[in-house]
Amino acid sequence: DYTPVCTTELGRVQQPSNEFNKRGVKLIALSCDEVESHNGWIKDIIAYNNLTTGFSYPIIADPKRDVANLYGMLDPDEKDAKGIPLTCRAVFVIGPDKRLKLSLLYPATTGRNFDEILRVVDSLQLTATRKVGHPC
């Protein structure tokens, strides 16, 4: 877990967490490590990112990669030291109707842009109630 991209990303999404909350978005992270490692990792995320707000969303432990496999997040070309496929970086937006509204998969080496994700959430929420296009 303690990779630079993961640590900065989870800290970065904490910073605008109030913006996600205003939109009714529930944040959840998924990790392929055990719950015990998350406790130390969260402290690292808070310290590295200078988070005065703490850390407000759950990290789900998926050490057997069951959830990652179910959502198609395993990268067959990237494997850890044990030969187990690594997960890609993913974003899923699931609507109030429990249907998938957005799926973004990034390579493990590339961080996500949470300003863009907020923009997409705004667009999804607008177009769910109005027959309009939302360019930018």
Side-chain angles (χ1 to χ4, degrees):
D1 272 315
Y2 293 77
T3 65
V5 177
C6 291
T7 300
T8 55
E9 273 195 316
L10 294 183
R12 174 62 186 99
V13 78
Q14 177 62 46
Q15 292 165 350
S17 62
N18 62 329
E19 291 298 321
F20 285 102
N21 291 338
K22 284 180 195 176
R23 292 160 173 84
V25 174
K26 295 177 184 176
L27 299 171
I28 300 171
L30 181 74
S31 165
C32 292
D33 290 309
E34 300 286 346
V35 171
E36 295 79 33
S37 71
H38 296 168
N39 296 325
W41 188 28
I42 289 170
K43 290 176 187 173
D44 193 50
I45 293 166
I46 292 169
Y48 183 82
N49 293 282
N50 297 315
L51 298 175
T52 58
T53 59
F55 193 80
S56 64
Y57 58 93
I59 301 175
I60 298 171
D62 188 29
K64 294 181 182 175
R65 293 169 170 79
D66 294 331
V67 176
N69 189 45
L70 181 67
Y71 280 84
M73 297 168 61
L74 298 179
D75 186 337
D77 298 325
E78 298 289 332
K79 299 191 172 146
D80 67 11
K82 297 176 185 173
I84 299 172
L86 296 175
T87 56
C88 64
R89 297 182 187 286
V91 175
F92 299 104
V93 176
I94 300 169
D97 60 358
K98 309 294 187 234
R99 291 188 166 185
L100 183 66
K101 304 300 181 185
L102 173 76
S103 173
L104 297 171
L105 299 177
Y106 296 77
T109 56
T110 305
R112 292 159 280 196
N113 181 325
F114 294 101
D115 293 326
E116 169 64 6
I117 294 165
L118 276 169
R119 186 194 72 79
V120 171
V121 167
D122 287 342
S123 176
L124 290 169
Q125 289 180 341
L126 175 69
T127 59
T129 60
R130 294 182 179 87
K131 299 285 184 199
V132 298
H134 190 262
C136 296

